[in-house]
Amino acid sequence: MNTYIALLRGINITGYKIIRMDDLRKIFESMKFRDVKNYIQSGNMVFRDPEKDAGSLVGKIEARLKKELGYEVKVIVRSPGEFKKIISGNPFLSDKQKDPGRMHVTFLSEKPGKDLIGAIHEIKYPPDEFYMAGKEIYVHCPDGYGKSKLNNTFFEKKLKTVATSRNWRTVNELFKIAMAKQIENRP
């Protein structure tokens, strides 16, 4: 049985695409996922499933959400192992002047092409910074994420892929929840 973390894009934001987390959990449970747990109201689900291919889970979850909710919700799925690498790879943590409370991770549905990555590195919006690492982008916004131009829409337009962001605290909490699920469900 494998543990996964699903990140839903664009739900429960300023009255748009509202879904109660209890309802979302029930949808995941109806797909026969096990040990389903949600974290806060922004569409973070941790669950277990025998499926070994996270990509096939994305399509399954998106199709069910569209059927149940009547609108499209983009989903990004990662494993606890991927989250562990994301957490250990944050380049901003080495700078003690940077507040972890101002750090975010933008998760991409796929790794962008080299041409798009090259072009985006030319863009600067000081004091905000970003660092790309595969299918993740580390973002540091000293004045707050809400004021930054380095948001999901920016990365989606520039990189031609789906993006959803989580603050550093949420990234760490999701990893803890996923690891606890793995430990409590060992044979």
Side-chain angles (χ1 to χ4, degrees), residues 88-105:
S88 67
N90 186 338
F92 297 125
L93 291 176
S94 62
D95 185 341
K96 299 301 177 199
Q97 301 296 326
K98 292 188 169 129
D99 177 4
R102 301 295 181 164
M103 296 176 192
H104 293 75
V105 177

Side-chain angles (χ1 to χ4, degrees), residues 53-121:
D53 177 28
S56 68
L57 289 172
V58 169
K60 178 180 177 180
I61 295 167
E62 287 179 347
R64 178 51 82 67
L65 291 173
K66 183 164 183 155
K67 178 182 175 190
E68 297 289 333
L69 303 173
Y71 52 81
E72 189 174 285
V73 177
K74 293 294 184 184
V75 178
I76 294 174
V77 176
R78 298 287 193 271
S79 70
E82 288 171 306
F83 260 67
K84 183 177 182 178
K85 288 178 186 173
I86 291 163
I87 290 168
S88 67
N90 186 338
F92 297 125
L93 291 176
S94 62
D95 185 341
K96 299 301 177 199
Q97 301 296 326
K98 292 188 169 129
D99 177 4
R102 301 295 181 164
M103 296 176 192
H104 293 75
V105 177
T106 299
F107 297 85
L108 305 176
S109 61
E110 60 189 337
K111 186 175 178 180
K114 289 182 183 180
D115 57 326
L116 296 173
I117 292 171
I120 201 169
H121 280 296

Side-chain angles (χ1 to χ4, degrees), residues 45-181:
M45 304 300 291
V46 179
F47 62 96
R48 295 175 51 75
D49 191 76
E51 178 62 57
K52 293 184 191 245
D53 177 28
S56 68
L57 289 172
V58 169
K60 178 180 177 180
I61 295 167
E62 287 179 347
R64 178 51 82 67
L65 291 173
K66 183 164 183 155
K67 178 182 175 190
E68 297 289 333
L69 303 173
Y71 52 81
E72 189 174 285
V73 177
K74 293 294 184 184
V75 178
I76 294 174
V77 176
R78 298 287 193 271
S79 70
E82 288 171 306
F83 260 67
K84 183 177 182 178
K85 288 178 186 173
I86 291 163
I87 290 168
S88 67
N90 186 338
F92 297 125
L93 291 176
S94 62
D95 185 341
K96 299 301 177 199
Q97 301 296 326
K98 292 188 169 129
D99 177 4
R102 301 295 181 164
M103 296 176 192
H104 293 75
V105 177
T106 299
F107 297 85
L108 305 176
S109 61
E110 60 189 337
K111 186 175 178 180
K114 289 182 183 180
D115 57 326
L116 296 173
I117 292 171
I120 201 169
H121 280 296
E122 304 295 320
I123 300 170
K124 306 285 184 226
Y125 289 119
D128 300 340
E129 304 172 80
F130 69 92
Y131 178 84
M132 292 197 63
K135 296 190 299 183
E136 279 73 40
I137 304 169
Y138 299 93
V139 182
H140 178 251
C141 306
D143 297 331
Y145 185 79
K147 295 179 180 179
S148 179
K149 293 182 181 182
L150 300 177
N151 56 33
N152 293 330
T153 303
F154 168 81
F155 288 117
E156 286 177 334
K157 285 181 180 176
K158 298 295 182 185
L159 298 173
K160 311 286 188 235
T161 189
V162 174
T164 190
S165 297
R166 299 298 186 269
N167 66 41
W168 190 241
R169 180 173 179 243
T170 297
V171 169
N172 282 276
E173 286 301 317
L174 288 170
F175 177 66
K176 286 178 192 173
I177 293 166
M179 292 308 296
K181 290 258 177 251

Side-chain angles (χ1 to χ4, degrees), residues 16-43:
Y16 183 69
K17 291 187 178 178
I18 300 297
I19 181 169
R20 291 182 43 233
M21 290 301 102
D22 282 346
D23 294 338
L24 185 58
R25 182 181 40 75
K26 288 175 185 172
I27 291 170
F28 271 64
E29 288 171 346
S30 74
M31 290 186 280
K32 306 297 184 216
F33 295 142
R34 291 185 165 158
D35 305 315
V36 178
K37 180 167 176 62
N38 58 291
Y39 177 72
I40 65 175
Q41 296 296 314
S42 59

